[in-house]
Coordinates of all heavy atoms in Angstrom, one line a residue:
M8 N 93.2 96.6 177.6 CA 93.8 95.6 176.7 C 94.7 94.7 177.6 O 95.3 95.1 178.5 CB 94.6 96.3 175.6 CG 95.2 95.3 174.6 SD 94.2 95.4 173.2 CE 94.9 94.2 172.2
G9 N 94.7 93.4 177.2 CA 95.4 92.4 178.0 C 96.9 92.4 177.6 O 97.4 93.1 176.7
L10 N 97.6 91.5 178.3 CA 99.0 91.3 178.0 C 99.3 90.7 176.6 O 100.2 91.1 176.0 CB 99.6 90.3 179.1 CG 101.0 90.0 179.0 CD1 101.9 91.2 179.2 CD2 101.4 88.9 180.1
I11 N 98.4 89.8 176.2 CA 98.6 89.2 174.9 C 97.3 89.4 174.0 O 96.2 89.7 174.6 CB 98.9 87.7 175.0 CG1 97.7 86.9 175.6 CG2 100.2 87.5 175.7 CD1 97.8 85.4 175.5
N12 N 97.5 89.3 172.7 CA 96.3 89.3 171.8 C 96.3 88.1 171.0 O 97.2 87.2 171.1 CB 96.3 90.6 171.0 CG 97.6 90.8 170.2 OD1 98.1 89.8 169.6 ND2 98.2 92.0 170.2
R13 N 95.4 88.0 170.1 CA 95.2 86.8 169.3 C 96.4 86.3 168.6 O 96.7 85.2 168.5 CB 94.1 87.1 168.3 CG 93.7 86.0 167.4 CD 92.5 86.4 166.5 NE 92.1 85.3 165.6 CZ 91.0 85.3 165.0 NH1 90.1 86.3 165.1 NH2 90.7 84.3 164.1
S14 N 97.2 87.3 168.0 CA 98.4 86.9 167.3 C 99.5 86.3 168.2 O 100.5 85.8 167.7 CB 98.9 88.1 166.5 OG 99.3 89.1 167.3
D15 N 99.4 86.5 169.5 CA 100.4 86.1 170.5 C 100.2 84.6 170.9 O 101.0 84.0 171.5 CB 100.5 86.9 171.7 CG 100.9 88.4 171.4 OD1 101.9 88.5 170.6 OD2 100.3 89.3 171.9
L16 N 99.0 84.1 170.6 CA 98.7 82.7 171.1 C 99.6 81.7 170.4 O 99.9 81.8 169.2 CB 97.2 82.4 170.8 CG 96.2 83.1 171.7 CD1 94.8 82.9 171.2 CD2 96.3 82.8 173.1
Y17 N 100.0 80.7 171.2 CA 100.9 79.7 170.7 C 100.2 78.7 169.7 O 100.7 78.4 168.6 CB 101.4 78.9 171.9 CG 102.4 77.8 171.5 CD1 103.7 78.1 171.2 CD2 102.0 76.5 171.4 CE1 104.6 77.1 170.8 CE2 102.8 75.5 171.0 CZ 104.1 75.8 170.7 OH 105.0 74.8 170.4
F18 N 99.0 78.3 170.1 CA 98.2 77.4 169.2 C 97.3 78.2 168.3 O 96.9 79.3 168.6 CB 97.3 76.5 170.1 CG 98.1 75.6 171.0 CD1 98.2 75.8 172.4 CD2 98.8 74.5 170.5 CE1 99.0 75.0 173.2 CE2 99.5 73.7 171.3 CZ 99.6 73.9 172.7
T19 N 97.1 77.7 167.1 CA 96.4 78.4 166.1 C 95.1 77.7 165.6 O 94.5 78.2 164.6 CB 97.3 78.6 164.8 OG1 97.7 77.3 164.3 CG2 98.6 79.4 165.1
D20 N 94.7 76.7 166.3 CA 93.5 75.9 165.9 C 92.3 76.3 166.7 O 91.3 75.5 166.7 CB 93.8 74.4 166.0 CG 94.2 74.0 167.4 OD1 94.4 74.9 168.3 OD2 94.2 72.8 167.7
Y21 N 92.2 77.5 167.3 CA 91.0 77.9 168.0 C 89.9 78.3 167.1 O 90.1 78.7 166.0 CB 91.4 79.1 168.9 CG 92.3 78.8 170.0 CD1 93.6 79.3 170.0 CD2 92.0 78.1 171.1 CE1 94.5 79.1 171.0 CE2 92.9 77.8 172.1 CZ 94.1 78.3 172.1 OH 95.0 78.0 173.1
S22 N 88.7 78.1 167.6 CA 87.5 78.6 166.9 C 87.3 80.1 167.4 O 87.5 80.4 168.6 CB 86.3 77.8 167.3 OG 85.1 78.4 166.9
W23 N 86.9 81.0 166.5 CA 86.8 82.4 166.9 C 85.3 82.8 166.6 O 85.1 83.8 165.9 CB 87.7 83.3 166.1 CG 89.1 83.0 166.5 CD1 90.0 82.1 166.0 CD2 89.8 83.5 167.7 NE1 91.2 82.1 166.7 CE2 91.1 83.0 167.7 CE3 89.5 84.5 168.7 CZ2 92.1 83.3 168.7 CZ3 90.4 84.8 169.6 CH2 91.7 84.2 169.6
T24 N 84.4 82.1 167.2 CA 83.0 82.4 166.9 C 82.3 82.8 168.2 O 82.7 82.4 169.3 CB 82.3 81.2 166.4 OG1 82.4 80.1 167.3 CG2 82.8 80.8 165.0
T25 N 81.3 83.6 168.1 CA 80.5 83.9 169.3 C 79.0 83.8 168.8 O 78.7 84.0 167.7 CB 80.7 85.3 169.8 OG1 80.5 86.2 168.7 CG2 82.1 85.5 170.3
L26 N 78.2 83.3 169.8 CA 76.8 83.3 169.5 C 76.2 84.6 169.9 O 76.8 85.4 170.6 CB 76.1 82.2 170.4 CG 76.7 80.8 170.1 CD1 76.1 79.8 171.1 CD2 76.4 80.3 168.7
A27 N 75.0 84.9 169.5 CA 74.4 86.2 169.8 C 74.3 86.4 171.3 O 74.4 87.5 171.7 CB 73.0 86.2 169.2
S28 N 74.2 85.4 172.1 CA 74.1 85.5 173.5 C 75.5 85.6 174.2 O 75.6 85.9 175.4 CB 73.3 84.4 174.1 OG 74.0 83.1 173.9
D29 N 76.5 85.3 173.4 CA 77.9 85.4 174.0 C 78.5 86.7 173.9 O 78.3 87.4 172.9 CB 78.8 84.4 173.3 CG 78.5 82.9 173.6 OD1 77.8 82.7 174.6 OD2 79.0 82.0 172.9
N30 N 79.2 87.1 174.9 CA 80.0 88.4 174.8 C 81.4 88.0 174.8 O 81.9 87.5 175.8 CB 79.6 89.3 176.0 CG 80.4 90.6 176.0 OD1 81.3 90.8 175.2 ND2 79.9 91.5 176.8
P31 N 82.2 88.3 173.8 CA 83.6 87.9 173.7 C 84.5 88.7 174.7 O 85.6 88.4 174.9 CB 84.0 88.1 172.3 CG 83.0 89.1 171.8 CD 81.7 88.9 172.5
K32 N 83.9 89.8 175.2 CA 84.7 90.6 176.2 C 84.1 90.5 177.6 O 83.8 91.6 178.2 CB 84.7 92.0 175.6 CG 85.4 92.1 174.3 CD 86.0 93.4 174.1 CE 86.6 93.5 172.7 NZ 88.0 93.0 172.6
I33 N 83.8 89.4 178.0 CA 83.2 89.2 179.4 C 84.2 89.7 180.4 O 85.4 89.6 180.3 CB 83.0 87.7 179.6 CG1 82.0 87.1 178.6 CG2 82.5 87.4 181.1 CD1 81.9 85.6 178.6
T34 N 83.6 90.3 181.4 CA 84.5 90.9 182.5 C 84.2 90.2 183.8 O 83.2 89.5 184.0 CB 84.2 92.4 182.7 OG1 82.8 92.6 183.0 CG2 84.5 93.2 181.4
G35 N 85.1 90.3 184.7 CA 85.0 89.7 186.0 C 86.0 88.7 186.3 O 86.8 88.3 185.4
K36 N 86.0 88.2 187.5 CA 87.0 87.2 187.9 C 86.6 85.8 187.5 O 85.4 85.5 187.4 CB 87.0 87.2 189.5 CG 88.1 86.4 190.1 CD 88.0 86.7 191.6 CE 89.0 85.7 192.3 NZ 88.9 85.8 193.7
P37 N 87.5 84.9 187.1 CA 87.2 83.6 186.8 C 86.3 82.9 187.8 O 86.5 83.1 189.0 CB 88.5 82.8 186.7 CG 89.5 83.9 186.3 CD 89.0 85.2 187.0
D38 N 85.2 82.2 187.4 CA 84.3 81.7 188.3 C 83.9 80.3 187.9 O 84.6 79.6 187.3 CB 83.0 82.6 188.4 CG 82.4 82.9 187.0 OD1 82.6 82.1 186.1 OD2 81.7 83.8 186.9
S39 N 82.7 79.9 188.2 CA 82.2 78.5 188.0 C 81.8 78.3 186.5 O 81.5 77.2 186.1 CB 81.0 78.1 188.9 OG 80.0 79.0 188.6
T40 N 81.9 79.4 185.7 CA 81.6 79.3 184.3 C 82.6 78.3 183.6 O 83.7 78.3 183.9 CB 81.8 80.7 183.6 OG1 81.0 81.6 184.3 CG2 81.4 80.6 182.1
L41 N 82.0 77.5 182.7 CA 82.9 76.5 182.0 C 83.7 77.2 181.0 O 83.3 78.1 180.3 CB 82.0 75.4 181.3 CG 81.0 74.6 182.3 CD1 80.3 73.6 181.5 CD2 81.8 74.0 183.4
L42 N 85.0 76.7 180.9 CA 85.9 77.3 179.9 C 85.9 76.4 178.7 O 86.2 75.2 178.8 CB 87.3 77.4 180.5 CG 88.4 78.0 179.6 CD1 88.1 79.4 179.3 CD2 89.8 77.8 180.2
N43 N 85.6 76.9 177.5 CA 85.8 76.1 176.3 C 87.2 76.3 175.8 O 87.6 77.3 175.4 CB 84.8 76.7 175.2 CG 84.9 75.9 173.9 OD1 85.9 75.3 173.6 ND2 83.9 76.1 173.1
R44 N 88.0 75.2 175.9 CA 89.4 75.3 175.7 C 89.8 75.4 174.2 O 90.9 75.7 173.9 CB 90.1 74.0 176.2 CG 89.9 73.8 177.7 CD 90.6 72.6 178.2 NE 90.1 72.2 179.5 CZ 90.8 71.5 180.4 NH1 91.9 71.0 180.1 NH2 90.2 71.2 181.5
M45 N 88.8 75.3 173.3 CA 89.0 75.5 171.9 C 88.4 76.8 171.4 O 88.5 77.1 170.2 CB 88.5 74.3 171.1 CG 89.2 73.0 171.4 SD 91.0 73.1 171.3 CE 91.2 73.4 169.5
E46 N 87.8 77.6 172.2 CA 87.3 78.9 171.8 C 88.3 80.0 172.1 O 88.6 80.3 173.2 CB 85.9 79.2 172.5 CG 85.3 80.5 172.2 CD 85.1 80.7 170.7 OE1 84.4 79.9 170.0 OE2 85.6 81.7 170.2
G47 N 88.8 80.6 171.0 CA 89.9 81.6 171.1 C 89.5 82.8 172.0 O 90.3 83.2 172.8
Y48 N 88.3 83.3 171.9 CA 87.9 84.4 172.7 C 88.0 84.1 174.2 O 88.4 84.9 175.0 CB 86.5 85.0 172.3 CG 86.5 85.6 171.0 CD1 85.7 85.1 169.9 CD2 87.2 86.8 170.7 CE1 85.7 85.7 168.7 CE2 87.1 87.4 169.5 CZ 86.4 86.9 168.4 OH 86.3 87.5 167.2
E49 N 87.5 82.9 174.5 CA 87.5 82.5 175.9 C 88.9 82.3 176.5 O 89.2 82.7 177.6 CB 86.6 81.3 176.1 CG 85.1 81.5 175.9 CD 84.3 80.2 176.2 OE1 84.7 79.4 177.0 OE2 83.3 80.1 175.5
I50 N 89.7 81.6 175.7 CA 91.1 81.3 176.1 C 91.8 82.6 176.3 O 92.5 82.9 177.3 CB 91.8 80.4 175.1 CG1 91.2 79.0 175.2 CG2 93.3 80.4 175.3 CD1 91.4 78.3 176.5
L51 N 91.7 83.5 175.3 CA 92.4 84.8 175.3 C 92.0 85.6 176.5 O 92.9 86.1 177.3 CB 92.2 85.6 174.0 CG 93.1 86.8 173.8 CD1 94.5 86.4 173.8 CD2 92.6 87.4 172.4
Y52 N 90.7 85.7 176.8 CA 90.3 86.4 177.9 C 90.8 85.8 179.2 O 91.3 86.5 180.1 CB 88.7 86.5 178.0 CG 88.2 86.9 179.3 CD1 88.2 88.3 179.7 CD2 87.8 86.0 180.3 CE1 87.8 88.7 180.9 CE2 87.4 86.4 181.5 CZ 87.4 87.7 181.8 OH 87.0 88.2 183.1
F53 N 90.7 84.5 179.3 CA 91.1 83.8 180.5 C 92.6 83.9 180.8 O 93.0 84.2 182.0 CB 90.7 82.3 180.4 CG 90.9 81.5 181.6 CD1 90.1 81.6 182.7 CD2 91.9 80.5 181.7 CE1 90.3 80.8 183.9 CE2 92.1 79.7 182.8 CZ 91.3 79.9 183.9
I54 N 93.4 83.8 179.8 CA 94.8 83.9 180.0 C 95.1 85.4 180.5 O 95.9 85.6 181.4 CB 95.6 83.6 178.7 CG1 95.5 82.1 178.4 CG2 97.1 84.1 178.8 CD1 96.0 81.7 177.0
N55 N 94.6 86.4 179.8 CA 94.8 87.7 180.2 C 94.3 88.0 181.6 O 95.0 88.8 182.3 CB 94.2 88.7 179.2 CG 95.1 88.9 178.0 OD1 96.3 88.9 178.1 ND2 94.5 88.9 176.8
K56 N 93.2 87.5 182.0 CA 92.7 87.7 183.3 C 93.6 87.1 184.4 O 93.9 87.7 185.4 CB 91.2 87.1 183.4 CG 90.6 87.3 184.8 CD 90.7 88.7 185.3 CE 89.6 89.6 184.7 NZ 89.6 91.0 185.3
L57 N 94.1 85.9 184.1 CA 95.0 85.3 185.1 C 96.3 86.1 185.2 O 96.8 86.3 186.3 CB 95.4 83.8 184.7 CG 94.2 82.8 184.8 CD1 94.8 81.4 184.5 CD2 93.5 82.9 186.1
C58 N 96.8 86.6 184.1 CA 98.0 87.4 184.1 C 97.8 88.7 184.9 O 98.7 89.1 185.7 CB 98.5 87.8 182.7 SG 99.2 86.4 181.8
E59 N 96.6 89.2 184.8 CA 96.3 90.4 185.5 C 96.2 90.1 187.0 O 96.8 90.8 187.9 CB 94.9 91.0 185.0 CG 94.4 92.2 185.8 CD 93.0 92.6 185.4 OE1 92.7 92.5 184.2 OE2 92.2 92.9 186.3
L60 N 95.5 89.0 187.4 CA 95.3 88.6 188.8 C 96.6 88.3 189.5 O 96.8 88.5 190.6 CB 94.3 87.4 188.9 CG 92.8 87.7 188.6 CD1 92.1 86.4 188.5 CD2 92.2 88.7 189.6
W61 N 97.5 87.6 188.7 CA 98.8 87.2 189.3 C 99.9 88.1 189.0 O 101.1 87.8 189.3 CB 99.1 85.8 188.7 CG 98.1 84.7 189.1 CD1 97.2 84.8 190.2 CD2 97.8 83.5 188.5 NE1 96.5 83.6 190.3 CE2 96.8 82.8 189.3 CE3 98.3 82.8 187.4 CZ2 96.3 81.5 188.9 CZ3 97.9 81.6 187.0 CH2 96.9 80.9 187.8
N62 N 99.6 89.3 188.4 CA 100.6 90.3 188.2 C 101.8 89.8 187.3 O 102.9 90.2 187.5 CB 101.2 90.9 189.5 CG 100.2 91.6 190.3 OD1 99.4 92.4 189.8 ND2 100.1 91.3 191.6
F63 N 101.4 89.0 186.3 CA 102.4 88.6 185.3 C 102.5 89.7 184.2 O 101.5 90.2 183.8 CB 102.0 87.3 184.6 CG 102.0 86.1 185.5 CD1 101.3 84.9 185.1 CD2 102.7 86.0 186.6 CE1 101.3 83.8 185.9 CE2 102.8 84.9 187.4 CZ 102.1 83.8 187.1
T64 N 103.7 90.0 183.9 CA 103.9 91.1 182.9 C 104.7 90.7 181.7 O 105.0 91.5 180.8 CB 104.7 92.3 183.6 OG1 105.9 91.8 184.1 CG2 103.9 92.9 184.7
N65 N 105.0 89.4 181.6 CA 105.7 89.0 180.4 C 105.0 87.9 179.6 O 104.3 87.1 180.2 CB 107.2 88.7 180.7 CG 107.6 87.3 180.9 OD1 107.1 86.4 180.4 ND2 108.6 87.2 181.8
K66 N 105.1 88.0 178.3 CA 104.3 87.1 177.5 C 104.6 85.6 177.6 O 103.8 84.8 177.3 CB 104.4 87.5 176.0 CG 103.8 88.9 175.7 CD 103.8 89.3 174.3 CE 103.2 90.6 174.0 NZ 103.2 91.0 172.6
S67 N 105.8 85.3 178.1 CA 106.2 83.9 178.2 C 105.3 83.3 179.3 O 105.0 82.1 179.2 CB 107.7 83.8 178.5 OG 108.0 84.3 179.8
S68 N 104.9 84.0 180.3 CA 104.0 83.5 181.4 C 102.6 83.2 180.8 O 102.0 82.2 181.1 CB 103.9 84.5 182.5 OG 105.1 84.6 183.2
A69 N 102.2 84.1 179.9 CA 100.9 83.9 179.3 C 100.9 82.7 178.4 O 100.0 81.9 178.3 CB 100.5 85.1 178.4
T70 N 102.0 82.5 177.6 CA 102.2 81.3 176.8 C 102.2 80.0 177.6 O 101.7 79.0 177.3 CB 103.5 81.4 175.9 OG1 103.3 82.6 175.1 CG2 103.7 80.2 175.0
K71 N 102.9 80.1 178.8 CA 102.9 78.9 179.7 C 101.5 78.6 180.1 O 101.1 77.4 180.1 CB 103.8 79.2 180.9 CG 103.9 78.1 181.9 CD 104.9 78.3 183.0 CE 104.9 77.2 184.0 NZ 106.0 77.4 185.0
I72 N 100.7 79.6 180.5 CA 99.3 79.3 180.9 C 98.6 78.6 179.7 O 97.9 77.6 180.0 CB 98.6 80.6 181.3 CG1 99.2 81.2 182.6 CG2 97.1 80.4 181.4 CD1 98.7 82.6 182.9
E73 N 98.7 79.1 178.5 CA 98.0 78.6 177.4 C 98.4 77.1 177.2 O 97.6 76.2 177.0 CB 98.3 79.4 176.1 CG 97.7 78.8 174.9 CD 98.1 79.5 173.6 OE1 99.0 80.3 173.6 OE2 97.4 79.2 172.6
K74 N 99.7 76.8 177.2 CA 100.2 75.5 177.0 C 99.8 74.5 178.1 O 99.4 73.4 177.9 CB 101.7 75.4 176.9 CG 102.3 76.1 175.6 CD 103.8 76.1 175.6 CE 104.3 76.6 174.3 NZ 105.8 76.6 174.3
M75 N 99.7 75.0 179.4 CA 99.3 74.2 180.5 C 97.8 73.9 180.3 O 97.4 72.7 180.5 CB 99.5 74.9 181.8 CG 100.9 75.0 182.3 SD 101.2 75.9 183.8 CE 100.5 74.6 185.0
I76 N 97.0 74.8 179.9 CA 95.5 74.6 179.7 C 95.4 73.5 178.6 O 94.6 72.5 178.8 CB 94.8 75.9 179.2 CG1 94.7 76.9 180.4 CG2 93.4 75.5 178.7 CD1 94.3 78.2 180.0
R77 N 96.1 73.6 177.5 CA 96.0 72.6 176.4 C 96.6 71.2 176.8 O 96.0 70.2 176.4 CB 96.7 73.2 175.2 CG 96.7 72.3 174.0 CD 95.3 72.2 173.3 NE 94.8 73.4 172.8 CZ 94.8 73.7 171.5 NH1 95.4 72.9 170.6 NH2 94.3 74.9 171.1
D78 N 97.7 71.2 177.4 CA 98.5 70.0 177.5 C 98.5 69.3 178.9 O 98.8 68.1 179.0 CB 99.9 70.2 177.1 CG 100.1 70.5 175.6 OD1 99.2 70.2 174.9 OD2 101.1 71.1 175.3
E79 N 98.2 70.1 179.9 CA 98.4 69.6 181.3 C 97.2 69.6 182.2 O 97.1 68.6 183.0 CB 99.6 70.3 182.0 CG 100.9 70.2 181.3 CD 102.0 70.9 182.0 OE1 101.8 72.0 182.5 OE2 103.1 70.3 182.2
V80 N 96.3 70.6 182.1 CA 95.2 70.6 182.9 C 94.3 69.4 182.6 O 94.0 69.2 181.4 CB 94.3 71.9 182.8 CG1 93.1 71.8 183.6 CG2 95.2 73.1 183.1
P81 N 94.0 68.5 183.6 CA 93.1 67.4 183.3 C 91.8 67.7 182.6 O 91.2 68.7 182.9 CB 92.9 66.8 184.7 CG 94.0 67.3 185.5 CD 94.3 68.6 185.0
S82 N 91.4 66.9 181.7 CA 90.3 67.1 180.9 C 89.0 67.1 181.6 O 87.9 67.6 181.2 CB 90.2 66.1 179.7 OG 90.1 64.8 180.2
D83 N 89.0 66.6 182.9 CA 87.7 66.5 183.7 C 87.6 67.8 184.5 O 86.7 67.9 185.3 CB 87.7 65.3 184.5 CG 88.8 65.2 185.5 OD1 89.9 65.8 185.3 OD2 88.7 64.4 186.5
I84 N 88.5 68.8 184.4 CA 88.4 70.0 185.1 C 87.9 71.0 184.1 O 88.5 71.3 183.0 CB 89.7 70.5 185.7 CG1 90.2 69.4 186.7 CG2 89.6 71.9 186.3 CD1 91.6 69.7 187.3
H85 N 86.7 71.6 184.3 CA 86.0 72.4 183.3 C 85.8 73.9 183.7 O 85.7 74.7 182.8 CB 84.7 71.8 182.9 CG 84.8 70.4 182.4 ND1 85.3 70.1 181.2 CD2 84.5 69.2 183.0 CE1 85.3 68.8 181.0 NE2 84.8 68.2 182.1
S86 N 85.6 74.2 185.0 CA 85.2 75.5 185.4 C 86.5 76.4 185.4 O 87.6 76.0 185.6 CB 84.5 75.6 186.7 OG 85.5 75.4 187.8
Q87 N 86.2 77.7 185.1 CA 87.3 78.7 185.1 C 88.1 78.7 186.5 O 89.3 78.6 186.5 CB 86.8 80.1 184.8 CG 86.3 80.2 183.4 CD 85.8 81.6 183.2 OE1 86.0 82.5 184.0 NE2 85.1 81.8 182.0
E88 N 87.3 78.7 187.5 CA 88.0 78.7 188.9 C 88.8 77.5 189.2 O 89.8 77.6 189.8 CB 86.9 79.1 190.0 CG 85.9 78.0 190.1 CD 84.7 78.5 191.0 OE1 84.8 79.6 191.6 OE2 83.7 77.8 191.2
N89 N 88.3 76.3 188.7 CA 89.0 75.1 189.0 C 90.3 75.0 188.1 O 91.3 74.5 188.6 CB 88.1 73.9 188.8 CG 87.1 73.7 190.0 OD1 87.3 74.3 191.1 ND2 86.1 73.0 189.7
I90 N 90.2 75.5 186.9 CA 91.3 75.5 186.0 C 92.4 76.5 186.6 O 93.6 76.2 186.6 CB 90.9 75.8 184.5 CG1 90.1 74.7 184.0 CG2 92.2 76.1 183.7 CD1 89.5 75.0 182.6
M91 N 91.9 77.6 187.0 CA 92.8 78.6 187.6 C 93.5 78.0 188.8 O 94.7 78.2 189.0 CB 92.0 79.9 188.0 CG 92.9 80.9 188.7 SD 92.0 82.4 189.1 CE 90.9 81.9 190.4
K92 N 92.8 77.3 189.7 CA 93.4 76.7 190.9 C 94.4 75.6 190.5 O 95.5 75.6 191.0 CB 92.3 76.1 191.8 CG 92.8 75.5 193.0 CD 91.8 74.9 193.9 CE 92.2 74.3 195.2 NZ 93.6 74.0 195.3
W93 N 94.0 74.8 189.5 CA 94.9 73.7 189.1 C 96.2 74.3 188.5 O 97.3 73.9 188.9 CB 94.3 72.8 188.0 CG 95.1 71.6 187.8 CD1 94.8 70.4 188.3 CD2 96.2 71.5 186.9 NE1 95.8 69.5 187.9 CE2 96.6 70.1 187.0 CE3 96.9 72.3 186.1 CZ2 97.7 69.6 186.3 CZ3 98.0 71.8 185.4 CH2 98.4 70.5 185.5
I94 N 96.1 75.4 187.7 CA 97.3 76.0 187.2 C 98.2 76.6 188.3 O 99.4 76.4 188.3 CB 97.0 77.1 186.1 CG1 96.4 76.4 184.9 CG2 98.2 77.9 185.8 CD1 95.8 77.4 183.9
S95 N 97.6 77.3 189.2 CA 98.3 77.8 190.4 C 99.0 76.7 191.2 O 100.2 76.9 191.5 CB 97.3 78.6 191.3 OG 98.0 79.1 192.4
D96 N 98.3 75.7 191.5 CA 98.8 74.6 192.3 C 100.0 73.8 191.6 O 100.8 73.2 192.2 CB 97.7 73.6 192.6 CG 96.7 74.1 193.6 OD1 97.0 75.2 194.2 OD2 95.7 73.5 193.8
N97 N 100.0 73.8 190.2 CA 100.9 73.0 189.5 C 101.9 73.9 188.7 O 102.7 73.3 187.9 CB 100.2 72.1 188.5 CG 99.4 71.1 189.3 OD1 99.9 70.0 189.7 ND2 98.1 71.3 189.5
W98 N 101.9 75.2 188.9 CA 102.8 76.1 188.1 C 104.3 75.7 188.2 O 104.9 75.6 187.2 CB 102.6 77.5 188.7 CG 103.4 78.5 187.9 CD1 104.6 79.1 188.2 CD2 102.9 79.1 186.6 NE1 104.9 80.0 187.2 CE2 104.0 80.0 186.2 CE3 101.8 79.0 185.8 CZ2 103.9 80.8 185.1 CZ3 101.8 79.7 184.7 CH2 102.8 80.6 184.3
K99 N 104.8 75.4 189.4 CA 106.2 75.1 189.5 C 106.6 73.7 188.9 O 107.7 73.5 188.6 CB 106.6 75.2 191.0 CG 106.6 76.6 191.5 CD 107.1 76.7 192.9 CE 107.1 78.2 193.3 NZ 107.2 78.3 194.8
N100 N 105.6 72.8 188.9 CA 105.9 71.5 188.4 C 105.5 71.3 186.9 O 105.7 70.2 186.4 CB 105.0 70.5 189.2 CG 105.4 70.5 190.7 OD1 106.6 70.6 191.0 ND2 104.4 70.4 191.5
S101 N 105.1 72.3 186.2 CA 104.8 72.3 184.8 C 106.0 71.9 184.0 O 107.1 72.4 184.3 CB 104.2 73.6 184.4 OG 104.0 73.6 182.9
K102 N 105.8 71.2 182.9 CA 106.9 70.9 182.0 C 107.3 72.1 181.2 O 108.3 72.1 180.5 CB 106.6 69.7 181.1 CG 105.4 70.0 180.1 CD 105.1 68.7 179.3 CE 103.9 68.9 178.4 NZ 103.6 67.7 177.7
Y103 N 106.5 73.2 181.2 CA 106.8 74.4 180.5 C 107.5 75.4 181.5 O 107.7 76.3 181.5 CB 105.5 75.0 179.9 CG 104.9 74.1 179.0 CD1 103.7 73.5 179.3 CD2 105.4 73.8 177.8 CE1 103.1 72.6 178.4 CE2 104.9 72.9 176.9 CZ 103.7 72.3 177.2 OH 103.1 71.4 176.4

C-alpha cells in the first residue's frame, strides 16, 4: 500500500475508470508511458511511486507532488519519466 490513498488526494475531479486492458495497479518504475493527469488511478499510483523512490514518508510531500502535476508541470510534458524529472528539478522552486 502506498503513502496515500484516494481519500488523501487534494483534487476531487479525477476520473476513476479503467478499460479492460488497463491495470489500475501497474507496477514498476515510471517510464515513457504517458501519464493521464485526470485519471485518479494513474495519479495515485504515480504519486505513491515517487514517494517510494524518493523516500518521502509524509503526506504533505505527496500532496505537493499532486499539486505540482496539476498546476506547475508544463502541459507539453506527458511521459511519467519526464514528469518525474521535471518535479525533481523544480521541487525547491515550487510555489507549494
Side-chain angles (χ1 to χ4, degrees):
M8 185 100 184
L10 179 63
I11 63 167
N12 58 44
R13 183 175 177 167
S14 63
D15 296 316
L16 291 171
Y17 180 81
F18 298 104
T19 58
D20 57 351
Y21 294 108
S22 170
W23 294 93
T24 57
T25 56
L26 302 173
S28 62
D29 287 345
N30 180 349
K32 301 209 180 272
I33 297 169
T34 58
K36 188 176 172 187
D38 57 19
S39 61
T40 304
L41 301 184
L42 179 67
N43 180 340
R44 299 180 197 205
M45 294 306 297
E46 177 53 58
Y48 290 115
E49 291 185 32
I50 290 295
L51 192 57
Y52 166 78
F53 186 71
I54 292 169
N55 279 319
K56 182 50 78 172
L57 292 188
C58 288
E59 176 188 324
L60 291 170
W61 294 340
N62 296 313
F63 291 162
T64 57
N65 96 34
K66 290 182 181 183
S67 65
S68 295
T70 300
K71 180 174 177 176
I72 293 170
E73 181 187 10
K74 289 178 176 180
M75 287 179 75
I76 291 168
R77 179 69 67 99
D78 294 338
E79 296 183 318
V80 176
S82 61
D83 62 339
I84 299 176
H85 302 287
S86 74
Q87 292 179 10
E88 61 192 354
N89 288 339
I90 292 172
M91 177 176 72
K92 180 178 180 346
W93 192 96
I94 291 171
S95 177
D96 291 347
N97 293 279
W98 185 261
K99 290 182 179 167
N100 298 322
S101 171
K102 65 183 177 184
Y103 301 109

